[in-house]
Amino acid sequence: MPDEMLRDAPAYNPRPGELADLELLLTGAYAPLTGFLGRADLTALQRRGRLADGTPWPLPVTLEVPESLALGLVLEDPAQRSIVLTDQEGAPIAAIEVDDAWPTREGRFGVGGMVRQIGDGRHGPFQRLRRTPAEVRELLPPGRVLGVVADRPLHRPQLAQIAHAARTLAAHVLILIPVGDAGPGGLSPEVLVRTVFAARDRMPPATLVAVPLVRRGDEIRDALLRARVAAAYGVTHLLSTGEMLSGGGPRVLVPRELAYDNRDGQWRWRDDIPPRNRRLALSNDEIDDLLDRGFPLPEWHTPPAVAKELARARPPRRQRGLVVFLTGLSGSGKSTVARGIADHLRETGDRTVTLLDGDVVRRELSAGLGFSKEDRDLNIRRIGWVAAEVARHRGMAICCPIAPYAEARRTAREMATLAGAGFVLVHVATPLEVCEIRDRKGLYAKARAGLIKGMTGIDDPYETPRDAELTIDTSTLSVDEAVGTVLDYLTETGWVEPK
Ligand code: PPS
């Protein structure tokens, strides 16, 4: 269809995962797929793991649009069935010629059909590293190609496995770096790209390509899709990093576990090294723990250039922003403990401290809000947002609202995490009876007398946290002890420097 015919076509900006799929469709990485799947293919896929024409295919590749947009199309008329797909800024990337449309969920329609590139189709970060499968196949020397999907940083054991496999196969190495979403360890694509490049001089000659692969969360199917994409890029042998698979695509090599031999500093098969000379590769948790505490990753395990990138991406906890979030019933002692922590850290700590106290927040930030679920959720959202901003700038925010709902607390945690900060949830679990006896503000008495409604713990819910890092009870601890318990925890876990 000529482009003038697209002038009147509606435009739509797909979600990031759909845009990633779109790019893989346009570049041919999803060959033989040429568009988003329609119902016939989706049904066949669900029933038999194959497309309607019998081609094996691991995963649905789908596009959803608003109902109003889908209903405006006339599928029988080639001039009225296209949608222009744009990037986030609204620039056109491609057009889909819709040949199937169906309701999926409230207000949304699935659409299937061929996609066609508009302009150079480029969008998203890492443009310089993105190459189409055809471009890459062109670059590759003839012969075998060992593919590695580098979804984690490459440390010495992985590098040794790559070198060994490349040597055994006499293969050229092609490293595919998935940049569609954060990796399994939560590493951003940017960090992943930087760490993989930092390992480049420790690899046999290799071609590196960024590919917008997005994981769907089903390990086996995700691995099968990666194998398909790797095959499109010319990979003949794929070094597996996780789940094992067969069928379609390149041959998959399952590497044996390597260990460090401290007699000569070589990495070799674990079982070829006597146990007393053997050092096992560090687990991801061990690596994170070292970084969190500010220890250098050991050179026997990680090339210094890779270690440097990782330390840069994950500075020690004591240098990161932090949100300490105390939750508990009214009168549980949250504010008193929070003030104690704040006082202590203002005197001795390295961060600026912002105390987001309940009363102050309700006056300054949440004036006008009441105590309905909606208002409480909004209150916690606002507190969470401010706290995350404080922590983004490496400060410390201490919050002490009741925060009775788990979901709202989770949102606050998420916002802090996205800001690159720590989040420590402290459940101040003083029993209701004790809070009620204290009744500093007389609210419990009023609630019992039916004078106020919706009092947390009386006739309004409090969802006990299951994800608290710490639980304290001020009916069995003095204020000083409670403050001490929190400070000890923060010191032991590396968030606060010991003084
Ligand atoms: S929430 O649920 O997190 O939004 O609540 P929060 O902002 O922490 O406000 C709690 C304080 O408001 C007073 N108050 C009530 N609490 C609970 N339920 C009802 N219905 C209610 N009405 C007023 C109460 O004094 C709380 O203060 P604290 O410091 O927790 O005792």
Side-chain angles (χ1 to χ4, degrees), residues 329-331 334-335 359 362 371 376 379-380 401-404 440-441 443 453-456:
L329 297 173
S330 169
K334 304 179 297 292
S335 301
D359 292 335
R362 284 219 166 239
F371 292 91
R376 289 181 197 259
N379 182 39
I380 300 310
I402 297 178
R440 266 187 313 126
K441 301 178 187 166
L443 287 172
K453 291 263 170 281
M455 179 68 191
T456 305

mmCIF file with all atom_site columns, all heavy atoms in Angstrom, residues 329-331 334-335 359 362 371 376 379-380 401-404 440-441 443 453-456, ligand 1:
data_model
loop_
_atom_site.group_PDB
_atom_site.id
_atom_site.type_symbol
_atom_site.label_atom_id
_atom_site.label_alt_id
_atom_site.label_comp_id
_atom_site.label_asym_id
_atom_site.label_entity_id
_atom_site.label_seq_id
_atom_site.pdbx_PDB_ins_code
_atom_site.Cartn_x
_atom_site.Cartn_y
_atom_site.Cartn_z
_atom_site.occupancy
_atom_site.B_iso_or_equiv
_atom_site.pdbx_formal_charge
_atom_site.auth_seq_id
_atom_site.auth_comp_id
_atom_site.auth_asym_id
_atom_site.auth_atom_id
_atom_site.pdbx_PDB_model_num
ATOM   1   N N   . LEU A 1 329 ? -0.423  0.301  63.791 1.00 0.00 ? 329 LEU A N   1
ATOM   2   C CA  . LEU A 1 329 ? -1.663  0.925  64.242 1.00 0.00 ? 329 LEU A CA  1
ATOM   3   C C   . LEU A 1 329 ? -1.410  2.307  64.837 1.00 0.00 ? 329 LEU A C   1
ATOM   4   O O   . LEU A 1 329 ? -0.282  2.613  65.243 1.00 0.00 ? 329 LEU A O   1
ATOM   5   C CB  . LEU A 1 329 ? -2.322  0.035  65.310 1.00 0.00 ? 329 LEU A CB  1
ATOM   6   C CG  . LEU A 1 329 ? -2.760  -1.356 64.849 1.00 0.00 ? 329 LEU A CG  1
ATOM   7   C CD1 . LEU A 1 329 ? -3.228  -2.180 66.047 1.00 0.00 ? 329 LEU A CD1 1
ATOM   8   C CD2 . LEU A 1 329 ? -3.867  -1.238 63.809 1.00 0.00 ? 329 LEU A CD2 1
ATOM   9   N N   . SER A 1 330 ? -2.487  3.087  64.929 1.00 0.00 ? 330 SER A N   1
ATOM   10  C CA  . SER A 1 330 ? -2.403  4.367  65.625 1.00 0.00 ? 330 SER A CA  1
ATOM   11  C C   . SER A 1 330 ? -2.025  4.097  67.079 1.00 0.00 ? 330 SER A C   1
ATOM   12  O O   . SER A 1 330 ? -2.574  3.196  67.707 1.00 0.00 ? 330 SER A O   1
ATOM   13  C CB  . SER A 1 330 ? -3.757  5.074  65.543 1.00 0.00 ? 330 SER A CB  1
ATOM   14  O OG  . SER A 1 330 ? -3.777  6.183  66.403 1.00 0.00 ? 330 SER A OG  1
ATOM   15  N N   . GLY A 1 331 ? -1.052  4.842  67.575 1.00 0.00 ? 331 GLY A N   1
ATOM   16  C CA  . GLY A 1 331 ? -0.625  4.644  68.957 1.00 0.00 ? 331 GLY A CA  1
ATOM   17  C C   . GLY A 1 331 ? 0.372   3.516  69.140 1.00 0.00 ? 331 GLY A C   1
ATOM   18  O O   . GLY A 1 331 ? 0.735   3.172  70.267 1.00 0.00 ? 331 GLY A O   1
ATOM   19  N N   . LYS A 1 334 ? 4.983   4.343  66.244 1.00 0.00 ? 334 LYS A N   1
ATOM   20  C CA  . LYS A 1 334 ? 5.719   4.602  64.999 1.00 0.00 ? 334 LYS A CA  1
ATOM   21  C C   . LYS A 1 334 ? 6.444   5.940  65.028 1.00 0.00 ? 334 LYS A C   1
ATOM   22  O O   . LYS A 1 334 ? 7.625   6.029  64.733 1.00 0.00 ? 334 LYS A O   1
ATOM   23  C CB  . LYS A 1 334 ? 4.771   4.645  63.782 1.00 0.00 ? 334 LYS A CB  1
ATOM   24  C CG  . LYS A 1 334 ? 3.915   3.457  63.552 1.00 0.00 ? 334 LYS A CG  1
ATOM   25  C CD  . LYS A 1 334 ? 3.023   3.671  62.333 1.00 0.00 ? 334 LYS A CD  1
ATOM   26  C CE  . LYS A 1 334 ? 2.023   4.816  62.422 1.00 0.00 ? 334 LYS A CE  1
ATOM   27  N NZ  . LYS A 1 334 ? 0.938   4.696  63.356 1.00 0.00 ? 334 LYS A NZ  1
ATOM   28  N N   . SER A 1 335 ? 5.687   6.988  65.352 1.00 0.00 ? 335 SER A N   1
ATOM   29  C CA  . SER A 1 335 ? 6.265   8.337  65.274 1.00 0.00 ? 335 SER A CA  1
ATOM   30  C C   . SER A 1 335 ? 7.407   8.507  66.258 1.00 0.00 ? 335 SER A C   1
ATOM   31  O O   . SER A 1 335 ? 8.450   9.079  65.918 1.00 0.00 ? 335 SER A O   1
ATOM   32  C CB  . SER A 1 335 ? 5.211   9.394  65.583 1.00 0.00 ? 335 SER A CB  1
ATOM   33  O OG  . SER A 1 335 ? 4.161   9.278  64.673 1.00 0.00 ? 335 SER A OG  1
ATOM   34  N N   . ASP A 1 359 ? 1.266   13.383 61.056 1.00 0.00 ? 359 ASP A N   1
ATOM   35  C CA  . ASP A 1 359 ? 0.500   14.619 61.211 1.00 0.00 ? 359 ASP A CA  1
ATOM   36  C C   . ASP A 1 359 ? 0.960   15.696 60.246 1.00 0.00 ? 359 ASP A C   1
ATOM   37  O O   . ASP A 1 359 ? 0.149   16.396 59.642 1.00 0.00 ? 359 ASP A O   1
ATOM   38  C CB  . ASP A 1 359 ? 0.636   15.132 62.660 1.00 0.00 ? 359 ASP A CB  1
ATOM   39  C CG  . ASP A 1 359 ? -0.066  14.185 63.626 1.00 0.00 ? 359 ASP A CG  1
ATOM   40  O OD1 . ASP A 1 359 ? -1.005  13.478 63.180 1.00 0.00 ? 359 ASP A OD1 1
ATOM   41  O OD2 . ASP A 1 359 ? 0.330   14.132 64.808 1.00 0.00 ? 359 ASP A OD2 1
ATOM   42  N N   . ARG A 1 362 ? -0.188  14.870 56.761 1.00 0.00 ? 362 ARG A N   1
ATOM   43  C CA  . ARG A 1 362 ? -1.624  15.090 56.553 1.00 0.00 ? 362 ARG A CA  1
ATOM   44  C C   . ARG A 1 362 ? -1.942  16.587 56.500 1.00 0.00 ? 362 ARG A C   1
ATOM   45  O O   . ARG A 1 362 ? -2.916  16.983 55.887 1.00 0.00 ? 362 ARG A O   1
ATOM   46  C CB  . ARG A 1 362 ? -2.421  14.363 57.627 1.00 0.00 ? 362 ARG A CB  1
ATOM   47  C CG  . ARG A 1 362 ? -2.460  12.857 57.338 1.00 0.00 ? 362 ARG A CG  1
ATOM   48  C CD  . ARG A 1 362 ? -3.804  12.271 57.663 1.00 0.00 ? 362 ARG A CD  1
ATOM   49  N NE  . ARG A 1 362 ? -3.949  10.936 57.081 1.00 0.00 ? 362 ARG A NE  1
ATOM   50  C CZ  . ARG A 1 362 ? -4.913  10.633 56.216 1.00 0.00 ? 362 ARG A CZ  1
ATOM   51  N NH1 . ARG A 1 362 ? -5.765  11.534 55.802 1.00 0.00 ? 362 ARG A NH1 1
ATOM   52  N NH2 . ARG A 1 362 ? -5.003  9.403  55.758 1.00 0.00 ? 362 ARG A NH2 1
ATOM   53  N N   . PHE A 1 371 ? -10.135 9.213  55.596 1.00 0.00 ? 371 PHE A N   1
ATOM   54  C CA  . PHE A 1 371 ? -9.625  7.890  55.966 1.00 0.00 ? 371 PHE A CA  1
ATOM   55  C C   . PHE A 1 371 ? -10.327 6.749  55.247 1.00 0.00 ? 371 PHE A C   1
ATOM   56  O O   . PHE A 1 371 ? -10.319 5.613  55.691 1.00 0.00 ? 371 PHE A O   1
ATOM   57  C CB  . PHE A 1 371 ? -9.682  7.722  57.491 1.00 0.00 ? 371 PHE A CB  1
ATOM   58  C CG  . PHE A 1 371 ? -8.705  8.631  58.182 1.00 0.00 ? 371 PHE A CG  1
ATOM   59  C CD1 . PHE A 1 371 ? -9.079  9.909  58.584 1.00 0.00 ? 371 PHE A CD1 1
ATOM   60  C CD2 . PHE A 1 371 ? -7.396  8.228  58.377 1.00 0.00 ? 371 PHE A CD2 1
ATOM   61  C CE1 . PHE A 1 371 ? -8.161  10.757 59.183 1.00 0.00 ? 371 PHE A CE1 1
ATOM   62  C CE2 . PHE A 1 371 ? -6.475  9.067  58.979 1.00 0.00 ? 371 PHE A CE2 1
ATOM   63  C CZ  . PHE A 1 371 ? -6.853  10.338 59.386 1.00 0.00 ? 371 PHE A CZ  1
ATOM   64  N N   . ARG A 1 376 ? -6.669  6.893  51.946 1.00 0.00 ? 376 ARG A N   1
ATOM   65  C CA  . ARG A 1 376 ? -5.465  6.355  52.599 1.00 0.00 ? 376 ARG A CA  1
ATOM   66  C C   . ARG A 1 376 ? -4.457  5.917  51.538 1.00 0.00 ? 376 ARG A C   1
ATOM   67  O O   . ARG A 1 376 ? -3.257  6.184  51.666 1.00 0.00 ? 376 ARG A O   1
ATOM   68  C CB  . ARG A 1 376 ? -5.832  5.158  53.477 1.00 0.00 ? 376 ARG A CB  1
ATOM   69  C CG  . ARG A 1 376 ? -6.603  5.513  54.748 1.00 0.00 ? 376 ARG A CG  1
ATOM   70  C CD  . ARG A 1 376 ? -6.870  4.229  55.524 1.00 0.00 ? 376 ARG A CD  1
ATOM   71  N NE  . ARG A 1 376 ? -7.901  4.321  56.532 1.00 0.00 ? 376 ARG A NE  1
ATOM   72  C CZ  . ARG A 1 376 ? -7.667  4.455  57.847 1.00 0.00 ? 376 ARG A CZ  1
ATOM   73  N NH1 . ARG A 1 376 ? -6.436  4.533  58.293 1.00 0.00 ? 376 ARG A NH1 1
ATOM   74  N NH2 . ARG A 1 376 ? -8.668  4.493  58.697 1.00 0.00 ? 376 ARG A NH2 1
ATOM   75  N N   . ASN A 1 379 ? -2.829  8.917  50.102 1.00 0.00 ? 379 ASN A N   1
ATOM   76  C CA  . ASN A 1 379 ? -1.898  9.450  51.107 1.00 0.00 ? 379 ASN A CA  1
ATOM   77  C C   . ASN A 1 379 ? -0.569  8.683  51.070 1.00 0.00 ? 379 ASN A C   1
ATOM   78  O O   . ASN A 1 379 ? 0.516   9.286  51.023 1.00 0.00 ? 379 ASN A O   1
ATOM   79  C CB  . ASN A 1 379 ? -2.571  9.325  52.487 1.00 0.00 ? 379 ASN A CB  1
ATOM   80  C CG  . ASN A 1 379 ? -1.712  9.891  53.610 1.00 0.00 ? 379 ASN A CG  1
ATOM   81  O OD1 . ASN A 1 379 ? -1.059  10.906 53.439 1.00 0.00 ? 379 ASN A OD1 1
ATOM   82  N ND2 . ASN A 1 379 ? -1.732  9.219  54.754 1.00 0.00 ? 379 ASN A ND2 1
ATOM   83  N N   . ILE A 1 380 ? -0.655  7.359  51.037 1.00 0.00 ? 380 ILE A N   1
ATOM   84  C CA  . ILE A 1 380 ? 0.564   6.536  51.049 1.00 0.00 ? 380 ILE A CA  1
ATOM   85  C C   . ILE A 1 380 ? 1.335   6.695  49.745 1.00 0.00 ? 380 ILE A C   1
ATOM   86  O O   . ILE A 1 380 ? 2.562   6.733  49.714 1.00 0.00 ? 380 ILE A O   1
ATOM   87  C CB  . ILE A 1 380 ? 0.222   5.046  51.296 1.00 0.00 ? 380 ILE A CB  1
ATOM   88  C CG1 . ILE A 1 380 ? -0.489  4.871  52.637 1.00 0.00 ? 380 ILE A CG1 1
ATOM   89  C CG2 . ILE A 1 380 ? 1.472   4.167  51.241 1.00 0.00 ? 380 ILE A CG2 1
ATOM   90  C CD1 . ILE A 1 380 ? 0.207   5.537  53.807 1.00 0.00 ? 380 ILE A CD1 1
ATOM   91  N N   . PRO A 1 401 ? 3.433   6.462  58.522 1.00 0.00 ? 401 PRO A N   1
ATOM   92  C CA  . PRO A 1 401 ? 1.974   6.458  58.467 1.00 0.00 ? 401 PRO A CA  1
ATOM   93  C C   . PRO A 1 401 ? 1.454   5.091  58.918 1.00 0.00 ? 401 PRO A C   1
ATOM   94  O O   . PRO A 1 401 ? 2.227   4.135  58.987 1.00 0.00 ? 401 PRO A O   1
ATOM   95  C CB  . PRO A 1 401 ? 1.684   6.659  56.988 1.00 0.00 ? 401 PRO A CB  1
ATOM   96  C CG  . PRO A 1 401 ? 2.824   5.963  56.305 1.00 0.00 ? 401 PRO A CG  1
ATOM   97  C CD  . PRO A 1 401 ? 4.022   6.101  57.214 1.00 0.00 ? 401 PRO A CD  1
ATOM   98  N N   . ILE A 1 402 ? 0.154   5.007  59.194 1.00 0.00 ? 402 ILE A N   1
ATOM   99  C CA  . ILE A 1 402 ? -0.416  3.698  59.513 1.00 0.00 ? 402 ILE A CA  1
ATOM   100 C C   . ILE A 1 402 ? -0.211  2.756  58.322 1.00 0.00 ? 402 ILE A C   1
ATOM   101 O O   . ILE A 1 402 ? 0.209   1.627  58.474 1.00 0.00 ? 402 ILE A O   1
ATOM   102 C CB  . ILE A 1 402 ? -1.926  3.824  59.826 1.00 0.00 ? 402 ILE A CB  1
ATOM   103 C CG1 . ILE A 1 402 ? -2.116  4.691  61.081 1.00 0.00 ? 402 ILE A CG1 1
ATOM   104 C CG2 . ILE A 1 402 ? -2.534  2.441  60.053 1.00 0.00 ? 402 ILE A CG2 1
ATOM   105 C CD1 . ILE A 1 402 ? -3.576  4.917  61.455 1.00 0.00 ? 402 ILE A CD1 1
ATOM   106 N N   . ALA A 1 403 ? -0.505  3.249  57.114 1.00 0.00 ? 403 ALA A N   1
ATOM   107 C CA  . ALA A 1 403 ? -0.372  2.457  55.880 1.00 0.00 ? 403 ALA A CA  1
ATOM   108 C C   . ALA A 1 403 ? -0.973  1.066  56.038 1.00 0.00 ? 403 ALA A C   1
ATOM   109 O O   . ALA A 1 403 ? -0.246  0.064  56.019 1.00 0.00 ? 403 ALA A O   1
ATOM   110 C CB  . ALA A 1 403 ? 1.093   2.384  55.454 1.00 0.00 ? 403 ALA A CB  1
ATOM   111 N N   . PRO A 1 404 ? -2.297  0.989  56.190 1.00 0.00 ? 404 PRO A N   1
ATOM   112 C CA  . PRO A 1 404 ? -2.921  -0.294 56.524 1.00 0.00 ? 404 PRO A CA  1
ATOM   113 C C   . PRO A 1 404 ? -2.988  -1.281 55.361 1.00 0.00 ? 404 PRO A C   1
ATOM   114 O O   . PRO A 1 404 ? -3.204  -2.466 55.595 1.00 0.00 ? 404 PRO A O   1
ATOM   115 C CB  . PRO A 1 404 ? -4.335  0.103  56.964 1.00 0.00 ? 404 PRO A CB  1
ATOM   116 C CG  . PRO A 1 404 ? -4.602  1.403  56.272 1.00 0.00 ? 404 PRO A CG  1
ATOM   117 C CD  . PRO A 1 404 ? -3.290  2.097  56.141 1.00 0.00 ? 404 PRO A CD  1
ATOM   118 N N   . ARG A 1 440 ? -3.603  7.998  73.204 1.00 0.00 ? 440 ARG A N   1
ATOM   119 C CA  . ARG A 1 440 ? -3.147  9.370  73.421 1.00 0.00 ? 440 ARG A CA  1
ATOM   120 C C   . ARG A 1 440 ? -4.156  10.413 72.947 1.00 0.00 ? 440 ARG A C   1
ATOM   121 O O   . ARG A 1 440 ? -4.333  11.446 73.555 1.00 0.00 ? 440 ARG A O   1
ATOM   122 C CB  . ARG A 1 440 ? -1.829  9.588  72.683 1.00 0.00 ? 440 ARG A CB  1
ATOM   123 C CG  . ARG A 1 440 ? -0.604  9.353  73.525 1.00 0.00 ? 440 ARG A CG  1
ATOM   124 C CD  . ARG A 1 440 ? 0.621   9.777  72.745 1.00 0.00 ? 440 ARG A CD  1
ATOM   125 N NE  . ARG A 1 440 ? 0.601   9.261  71.372 1.00 0.00 ? 440 ARG A NE  1
ATOM   126 C CZ  . ARG A 1 440 ? 0.733   10.021 70.287 1.00 0.00 ? 440 ARG A CZ  1
ATOM   127 N NH1 . ARG A 1 440 ? 0.896   11.311 70.385 1.00 0.00 ? 440 ARG A NH1 1
ATOM   128 N NH2 . ARG A 1 440 ? 0.719   9.474  69.088 1.00 0.00 ? 440 ARG A NH2 1
ATOM   129 N N   . LYS A 1 441 ? -4.811  10.116 71.818 1.00 0.00 ? 441 LYS A N   1
ATOM   130 C CA  . LYS A 1 441 ? -5.690  11.138 71.236 1.00 0.00 ? 441 LYS A CA  1
ATOM   131 C C   . LYS A 1 441 ? -7.164  10.866 71.537 1.00 0.00 ? 441 LYS A C   1
ATOM   132 O O   . LYS A 1 441 ? -8.035  11.581 71.044 1.00 0.00 ? 441 LYS A O   1
ATOM   133 C CB  . LYS A 1 441 ? -5.467  11.193 69.724 1.00 0.00 ? 441 LYS A CB  1
ATOM   134 C CG  . LYS A 1 441 ? -4.036  11.517 69.340 1.00 0.00 ? 441 LYS A CG  1
ATOM   135 C CD  . LYS A 1 441 ? -3.855  11.517 67.829 1.00 0.00 ? 441 LYS A CD  1
ATOM   136 C CE  . LYS A 1 441 ? -2.381  11.676 67.452 1.00 0.00 ? 441 LYS A CE  1
ATOM   137 N NZ  . LYS A 1 441 ? -2.122  11.358 66.042 1.00 0.00 ? 441 LYS A NZ  1
ATOM   138 N N   . LEU A 1 443 ? -8.926  8.607  70.404 1.00 0.00 ? 443 LEU A N   1
ATOM   139 C CA  . LEU A 1 443 ? -9.656  8.159  69.203 1.00 0.00 ? 443 LEU A CA  1
ATOM   140 C C   . LEU A 1 443 ? -10.276 6.773  69.392 1.00 0.00 ? 443 LEU A C   1
ATOM   141 O O   . LEU A 1 443 ? -11.379 6.508  68.908 1.00 0.00 ? 443 LEU A O   1
ATOM   142 C CB  . LEU A 1 443 ? -8.718  8.132  67.994 1.00 0.00 ? 443 LEU A CB  1
ATOM   143 C CG  . LEU A 1 443 ? -8.322  9.489  67.420 1.00 0.00 ? 443 LEU A CG  1
ATOM   144 C CD1 . LEU A 1 443 ? -7.241  9.319  66.364 1.00 0.00 ? 443 LEU A CD1 1
ATOM   145 C CD2 . LEU A 1 443 ? -9.542  10.199 66.837 1.00 0.00 ? 443 LEU A CD2 1
ATOM   146 N N   . LYS A 1 453 ? -16.194 6.689  62.847 1.00 0.00 ? 453 LYS A N   1
ATOM   147 C CA  . LYS A 1 453 ? -16.267 5.452  62.054 1.00 0.00 ? 453 LYS A CA  1
ATOM   148 C C   . LYS A 1 453 ? -14.941 5.241  61.314 1.00 0.00 ? 453 LYS A C   1
ATOM   149 O O   . LYS A 1 453 ? -14.229 6.205  61.041 1.00 0.00 ? 453 LYS A O   1
ATOM   150 C CB  . LYS A 1 453 ? -17.384 5.574  61.016 1.00 0.00 ? 453 LYS A CB  1
ATOM   151 C CG  . LYS A 1 453 ? -18.789 5.578  61.624 1.00 0.00 ? 453 LYS A CG  1
ATOM   152 C CD  . LYS A 1 453 ? -19.395 4.168  61.569 1.00 0.00 ? 453 LYS A CD  1
ATOM   153 C CE  . LYS A 1 453 ? -20.676 4.068  62.370 1.00 0.00 ? 453 LYS A CE  1
ATOM   154 N NZ  . LYS A 1 453 ? -20.444 3.938  63.850 1.00 0.00 ? 453 LYS A NZ  1
ATOM   155 N N   . GLY A 1 454 ? -14.674 4.003  61.007 1.00 0.00 ? 454 GLY A N   1
ATOM   156 C CA  . GLY A 1 454 ? -13.521 3.707  60.151 1.00 0.00 ? 454 GLY A CA  1
ATOM   157 C C   . GLY A 1 454 ? -12.200 3.864  60.868 1.00 0.00 ? 454 GLY A C   1
ATOM   158 O O   . GLY A 1 454 ? -11.198 4.273  60.260 1.00 0.00 ? 454 GLY A O   1
ATOM   159 N N   . MET A 1 455 ? -12.145 3.545  62.156 1.00 0.00 ? 455 MET A N   1
ATOM   160 C CA  . MET A 1 455 ? -10.887 3.627  62.892 1.00 0.00 ? 455 MET A CA  1
ATOM   161 C C   . MET A 1 455 ? -10.089 2.339  62.669 1.00 0.00 ? 455 MET A C   1
ATOM   162 O O   . MET A 1 455 ? -10.596 1.232  62.913 1.00 0.00 ? 455 MET A O   1
ATOM   163 C CB  . MET A 1 455 ? -11.202 3.814  64.387 1.00 0.00 ? 455 MET A CB  1
ATOM   164 C CG  . MET A 1 455 ? -9.974  3.893  65.275 1.00 0.00 ? 455 MET A CG  1
ATOM   165 S SD  . MET A 1 455 ? -9.049  5.418  64.968 1.00 0.00 ? 455 MET A SD  1
ATOM   166 C CE  . MET A 1 455 ? -7.546  5.050  65.876 1.00 0.00 ? 455 MET A CE  1
ATOM   167 N N   . THR A 1 456 ? -8.864  2.495  62.217 1.00 0.00 ? 456 THR A N   1
ATOM   168 C CA  . THR A 1 456 ? -8.027  1.321  61.939 1.00 0.00 ? 456 THR A CA  1
ATOM   169 C C   . THR A 1 456 ? -7.910  0.425  63.174 1.00 0.00 ? 456 THR A C   1
ATOM   170 O O   . THR A 1 456 ? -7.613  0.919  64.257 1.00 0.00 ? 456 THR A O   1
ATOM   171 C CB  . THR A 1 456 ? -6.616  1.766  61.507 1.00 0.00 ? 456 THR A CB  1
ATOM   172 O OG1 . THR A 1 456 ? -6.747  2.660  60.405 1.00 0.00 ? 456 THR A OG1 1
ATOM   173 C CG2 . THR A 1 456 ? -5.753  0.578  61.098 1.00 0.00 ? 456 THR A CG2 1
HETATM 174 S S1  . PPS B 2 .   ? -3.122  6.237  56.776 1.00 0.00 ? 1   PPS B S1  1
HETATM 175 O O1  . PPS B 2 .   ? -4.111  5.188  56.929 1.00 0.00 ? 1   PPS B O1  1
HETATM 176 O O2  . PPS B 2 .   ? -1.774  5.684  56.696 1.00 0.00 ? 1   PPS B O2  1
HETATM 177 O O3  . PPS B 2 .   ? -3.413  7.114  55.634 1.00 0.00 ? 1   PPS B O3  1
HETATM 178 O O4  . PPS B 2 .   ? -3.203  7.122  58.104 1.00 0.00 ? 1   PPS B O4  1
HETATM 179 P P1  . PPS B 2 .   ? -2.191  8.256  58.607 1.00 0.00 ? 1   PPS B P1  1
HETATM 180 O O5  . PPS B 2 .   ? -1.905  9.258  57.536 1.00 0.00 ? 1   PPS B O5  1
HETATM 181 O O6  . PPS B 2 .   ? -1.011  7.615  59.234 1.00 0.00 ? 1   PPS B O6  1
HETATM 182 O O7  . PPS B 2 .   ? -3.048  8.981  59.691 1.00 0.00 ? 1   PPS B O7  1
HETATM 183 C C1  . PPS B 2 .   ? -3.296  8.335  60.898 1.00 0.00 ? 1   PPS B C1  1
HETATM 184 C C2  . PPS B 2 .   ? -3.530  9.378  62.003 1.00 0.00 ? 1   PPS B C2  1
HETATM 185 O O8  . PPS B 2 .   ? -4.784  9.995  61.819 1.00 0.00 ? 1   PPS B O8  1
HETATM 186 C C3  . PPS B 2 .   ? -5.561  9.914  63.011 1.00 0.00 ? 1   PPS B C3  1
HETATM 187 N N1  . PPS B 2 .   ? -6.850  9.336  62.622 1.00 0.00 ? 1   PPS B N1  1
HETATM 188 C C4  . PPS B 2 .   ? -7.111  8.055  62.281 1.00 0.00 ? 1   PPS B C4  1
HETATM 189 N N2  . PPS B 2 .   ? -6.338  6.940  62.210 1.00 0.00 ? 1   PPS B N2  1
HETATM 190 C C5  . PPS B 2 .   ? -6.925  5.796  61.802 1.00 0.00 ? 1   PPS B C5  1
HETATM 191 N N3  . PPS B 2 .   ? -8.221  5.678  61.474 1.00 0.00 ? 1   PPS B N3  1
HETATM 192 C C6  . PPS B 2 .   ? -9.026  6.764  61.529 1.00 0.00 ? 1   PPS B C6  1
HETATM 193 N N4  . PPS B 2 .   ? -10.302 6.633  61.190 1.00 0.00 ? 1   PPS B N4  1
HETATM 194 C C7  . PPS B 2 .   ? -8.476  8.003  61.944 1.00 0.00 ? 1   PPS B C7  1
HETATM 195 N N5  . PPS B 2 .   ? -8.978  9.236  62.081 1.00 0.00 ? 1   PPS B N5  1
HETATM 196 C C8  . PPS B 2 .   ? -7.985  10.035 62.501 1.00 0.00 ? 1   PPS B C8  1
HETATM 197 C C9  . PPS B 2 .   ? -4.794  9.089  64.023 1.00 0.00 ? 1   PPS B C9  1
HETATM 198 O O9  . PPS B 2 .   ? -4.487  9.941  65.066 1.00 0.00 ? 1   PPS B O9  1
HETATM 199 C C10 . PPS B 2 .   ? -3.536  8.648  63.321 1.00 0.00 ? 1   PPS B C10 1
HETATM 200 O O10 . PPS B 2 .   ? -2.384  9.121  63.988 1.00 0.00 ? 1   PPS B O10 1
HETATM 201 P P2  . PPS B 2 .   ? -1.306  8.154  64.659 1.00 0.00 ? 1   PPS B P2  1
HETATM 202 O O11 . PPS B 2 .   ? -0.057  9.001  64.756 1.00 0.00 ? 1   PPS B O11 1
HETATM 203 O O12 . PPS B 2 .   ? -1.099  6.966  63.775 1.00 0.00 ? 1   PPS B O12 1
HETATM 204 O O13 . PPS B 2 .   ? -1.853  7.808  65.983 1.00 0.00 ? 1   PPS B O13 1
#
